[in-house]
Amino acid sequence: MTHALGFAEKDLRRMAGARSFERGVGYLSAVSRLEIGDETITATVDGTDAYEVELAEREDGGLTGWCDCPYGREGNFCKHCVAVGLTVLRQAESVPRQRAAAASRTRLLDTWLESRTREELLVLVREQLSEDRDLRRRLELRAATAGEDTGIARERILSLLDTRPFARYGYVEYADAHAYGQQAAEAVTALRAMTSSGRSADAVKVAREALQALGRTYGEIDDSDGLIGEVATGLAEAHLEACLSARPDPVETAEWLVHHLLDEENDATDIDLFDYREALGEPGMIRARELVVAAWRANPKGWPEKFLMERLLKADGSSVDALVAVHAADLAPNGHTHLVIAKELEAAGRAAEALKWAERGLREAESDWGPDDELVTFVCERYARADRLAGVVAIRRDLLQARPSLAAYQHLRTAARAANAWEGSERAGALEVLKAAAQPKDGRWYGASVLVDALMDDADLEAAWQAAADGYADQRQWLALADRIRDKKPADALTVYLCWIEPLRKQTGDSTYERMAELLLNARSCHRTLGTEAEFATYLASLRADQKRKRKLMATLDLHGL
């Protein structure tokens, strides 16, 4: 690696993106403990917390950055990395000298260590162990995995997965999950060390316990960053590696695997039974199939049983009918399972049967659940391809009647227009459905009716205004209508704004004051269009006099020029 910097400001901007780059510029003064080494650059950046940053230049001239802030741990080149990179660029001339000094210090340390006797090095290590608990724990683990006493290694590995030291309230919160994940990751390293040192049979047994231990506690950890999930995956991979090395009894291994996969507490890992084909061999796979089939037959509605059975059939290349039978044993009330079956059949070239299953799903969907949206789309798309447009309209009409909503109305409108059947009876019937679904009520603040939203969506503002006047609109809809008609019917819009200003006089709070200012601005706009600005000035003066004790309201009105 050359001593000259291999990156420029444009590279930092490209890697971070414009937003993070600009935010990084604001953190230049927060960079401390900057160390420019021969291969890496490290620093601390003070933000919400004190974050550790490391930059490294790749041999191909690129740059990598790591930060232990939440955004950085997701693999992003964050604002803290930008701040460190910019700080280094601002002292680029001194970088070669600093790197040369770092390399010299490394050589000096290596020479000094090599000159120490074994006894002197032991004294040095022991001094460090007495001061650094993390180092002591890591070396204790290495000693345990390298020794002959499996019990000690097992105890240390399982202790690394113990959440209790991190669960202040019986739950590992997000702030503590990273530290726990770093500790738990050492268990993966230890298991792999056992396998590589020739103790793979022991590693198999300990890995099983480790997987079960993490499975029991995973639901009590805030793993928003996915770090613990990575540990779980690592444990599963370490177990498979140990099995491939030790070749434990295939039948017993199959029994453990199937039992593990059927246990809903063990869903933290994505273990795939068929990754173990080589370790299980034919005897183990035969036993695994027997257990999966038996479990599914005993509980065909169980999610793990159903998933494993489906995986088994697909891996074995079984017929689509066998897969259909598995799904048909537990049909979801919203028709989603019918859709899964339909897709399997369609993929097998059996389109007619697929459509029949999908249509059956629409018929059998329970009223409280309603049909799955994707299932409805599946049927409608296939009807449309077959030019069965009236059928699409009928489906959309039934759905609107069953569960009136703006989305259902819009879908029916689209379908009916495609069939040239919207204007006239189809639209009138749809509006009657929406009208019947709501109860008119004057002065409602909440409880908007779909009727008014649908009429506004149709841009039929006259009808929407009439529906609102008949009691089908809440505050939100009244104000939306006023905004839509303000330019052409300012007097009507003004009536709405003034109506909803009045109740706010009796309320307090920043959001109330902002809302009042917004309504007053709209009212002023109406008065300007009407040429009655003097009338608005009189109204505003009266309101300010009435509300003068609300100093924050007065300040808000001043801020908006009212």
Side-chain angles (χ1 to χ4, degrees):
M1 179 178 290
T2 62
H3 289 307
L5 284 173
F7 66 92
E9 187 171 307
K10 65 179 181 180
D11 299 308
L12 299 177
R13 183 183 292 274
R14 175 180 54 80
M15 294 182 67
R19 185 168 181 270
S20 288
F21 180 85
E22 295 303 328
R23 295 179 71 183
V25 173
Y27 276 80
L28 286 172
S29 61
V31 177
S32 62
R33 297 174 60 192
L34 178 69
E35 291 188 16
I36 300 177
D38 189 35
E39 297 183 352
T40 62
I41 299 166
T42 60
T44 299
V45 181
D46 292 322
T48 307
D49 203 342
Y51 297 118
E52 299 300 319
V53 175
E54 180 178 299
L55 303 182
E57 295 177 77
R58 299 196 302 265
E59 293 183 0
D60 62 3
L63 180 70
T64 62
W66 178 89
C67 178
D68 64 354
C69 73
Y71 188 62
R73 290 202 300 269
E74 292 177 358
N76 299 297
F77 197 87
C78 66
K79 60 189 177 184
H80 308 113
C81 292
V82 171
V84 174
L86 290 174
T87 300
V88 173
L89 288 173
R90 279 156 175 70
Q91 49 184 274
E93 292 183 359
S94 67
V95 167
R97 176 178 52 78
Q98 293 184 66
R99 281 184 167 164
S104 177
R105 291 194 300 272
T106 299
R107 289 193 299 271
L108 180 64
L109 178 59
D110 286 343
T111 301
W112 182 77
L113 288 172
E114 290 170 359
S115 69
R116 300 301 93 189
T117 65
R118 178 177 181 276
E119 289 72 21
E120 288 173 328
L121 289 174
L122 283 173
V123 170
L124 178 62
V125 170
R126 285 169 179 149
E127 285 179 356
Q128 292 301 310
L129 291 178
S130 65
E131 298 174 1
D132 191 331
R133 294 176 59 189
D134 288 338
L135 176 62
R136 183 179 187 86
R137 188 179 68 243
R138 289 196 296 272
L139 292 185
E140 284 176 345
L141 185 57
R142 287 194 182 187
T145 54
E148 297 297 325
D149 192 334
T150 302
I152 296 176
R154 170 187 171 277
E155 180 183 349
R156 290 293 300 122
I157 289 172
L158 293 181
S159 70
L160 291 170
L161 300 171
D162 186 359
T163 59
R164 286 176 294 182
F166 300 87
R168 288 176 288 180
Y169 308 104
Y171 179 83
V172 181
E173 297 178 321
Y174 177 79
D176 301 308
H178 183 68
Y180 171 73
Q182 287 183 314
Q183 174 180 299
E186 295 179 26
V188 178
T189 303
L191 285 168
R192 286 179 165 149
M194 290 181 71
T195 297
S196 62
S197 65
R199 299 168 61 199
S200 54
D202 292 334
V204 169
K205 296 177 182 177
V206 179
R208 289 183 183 181
E209 290 192 71
L211 285 166
Q212 290 171 329
L214 186 59
R216 286 192 298 269
T217 59
Y218 185 70
E220 302 169 0
I221 304 170
D222 183 346
D223 191 27
S224 299
D225 291 338
L227 182 60
I228 316 305
E230 292 177 6
V231 171
T233 300
L235 290 175
E237 292 172 350
H239 176 257
L240 176 57
E241 291 166 7
C243 287
L244 291 171
S245 176
R247 301 289 177 169
D249 179 80
V251 172
E252 189 275 336
T253 301
E255 291 173 349
W256 181 87
L257 271 172
V258 174
H259 175 77
H260 178 82
L261 292 170
L262 290 174
D263 187 345
E264 293 186 359
E265 282 192 348
N266 294 321
D267 62 354
T269 57
D270 293 326
I271 290 180
D272 188 337
L273 177 64
F274 292 90
D275 287 341
Y276 285 77
R277 280 184 186 272
E278 183 182 343
L280 295 177
E282 191 59 26
M285 289 305 299
I286 290 174
R287 181 57 177 155
R289 289 185 181 92
E290 291 174 351
L291 293 170
V292 170
V293 172
W296 174 72
R297 286 176 176 167
N299 185 22
K301 294 189 177 183
W303 185 89
E305 290 84 355
K306 185 176 178 179
F307 176 81
L308 272 180
M309 189 66 183
E310 180 185 353
R311 182 73 183 90
L312 179 67
L313 292 173
K314 286 187 175 181
D316 287 348
S318 299
S319 69
V320 68
D321 294 302
L323 281 170
V324 169
V326 171
H327 292 301
D330 180 29
L331 296 172
N334 68 346
H336 178 74
T337 318
H338 296 77
L339 174 64
V340 172
I341 292 173
K343 287 183 175 180
E344 292 284 357
L345 288 166
E346 191 171 69
R350 294 158 65 175
E353 293 175 73
L355 184 55
K356 286 182 179 179
W357 265 101
E359 291 170 329
R360 176 182 164 185
L362 291 182
R363 293 193 304 271
E364 296 180 354
E366 297 180 9
S367 58
D368 290 343
W369 294 82
D372 180 89
D373 290 339
E374 191 179 351
L375 172 65
V376 174
T377 301
F378 182 93
V379 176
C380 289
E381 285 179 351
R382 280 140 191 84
Y383 275 13
R385 292 174 194 170
D387 202 28
R388 297 172 58 183
L389 300 182
V392 179
V393 173
I395 290 173
R396 294 300 184 182
R397 184 192 306 124
D398 291 344
L399 290 174
L400 178 67
Q401 291 173 343
R403 276 166 297 281
S405 69
L406 178 59
Y409 180 84
Q410 291 168 331
H411 283 306
L412 174 56
R413 183 179 62 198
T414 300
R417 281 177 174 169
N420 294 317
W422 178 241
E423 299 301 336
S425 61
E426 197 65 58
R427 178 174 185 262
L431 291 173
E432 283 300 319
V433 169
L434 298 183
K435 187 174 182 180
Q439 293 294 324
K441 181 181 178 181
D442 292 332
R444 69 172 80 191
W445 280 74
Y446 305 104
S449 72
V450 179
L451 175 63
V452 175
D453 283 337
L455 289 168
M456 284 196 290
D457 196 60
D458 281 341
D460 190 349
L461 300 183
E462 291 287 347
W465 183 268
Q466 185 58 55
D470 290 340
Y472 288 96
D474 67 357
Q475 183 199 37
R476 175 189 64 78
Q477 292 172 319
W478 270 116
L479 293 174
L481 265 172
D483 291 343
R484 296 277 293 272
I485 68 171
R486 187 168 64 206
D487 293 337
K488 294 183 177 180
K489 294 187 175 183
D492 288 341
L494 177 61
T495 302
V496 175
Y497 295 137
L498 295 179
C499 173
W500 292 106
I501 287 172
E502 290 309 303
L504 299 180
R505 289 174 179 258
K506 299 178 182 180
Q507 300 177 30
T508 59
D510 292 350
S511 60
T512 296
Y513 300 152
E514 284 292 337
R515 189 67 177 136
M516 184 179 286
E518 180 184 353
L519 291 172
L520 285 168
L521 289 171
N522 289 336
R524 184 173 66 182
S525 176
C526 293
H527 276 291
R528 284 176 175 172
T529 303
L530 292 167
T532 54
E533 293 180 82
E535 185 178 331
F536 174 76
T538 301
Y539 173 82
L540 180 61
S542 174
L543 183 144
R544 291 185 70 113
D546 177 62
Q547 302 282 300
K548 62 183 179 181
R549 292 186 179 181
K550 298 177 181 177
R551 288 176 293 179
K552 293 197 71 174
L553 172 60
M554 296 298 104
T556 301
L557 297 181
D558 290 340
L559 182 65
H560 289 280
L562 291 166

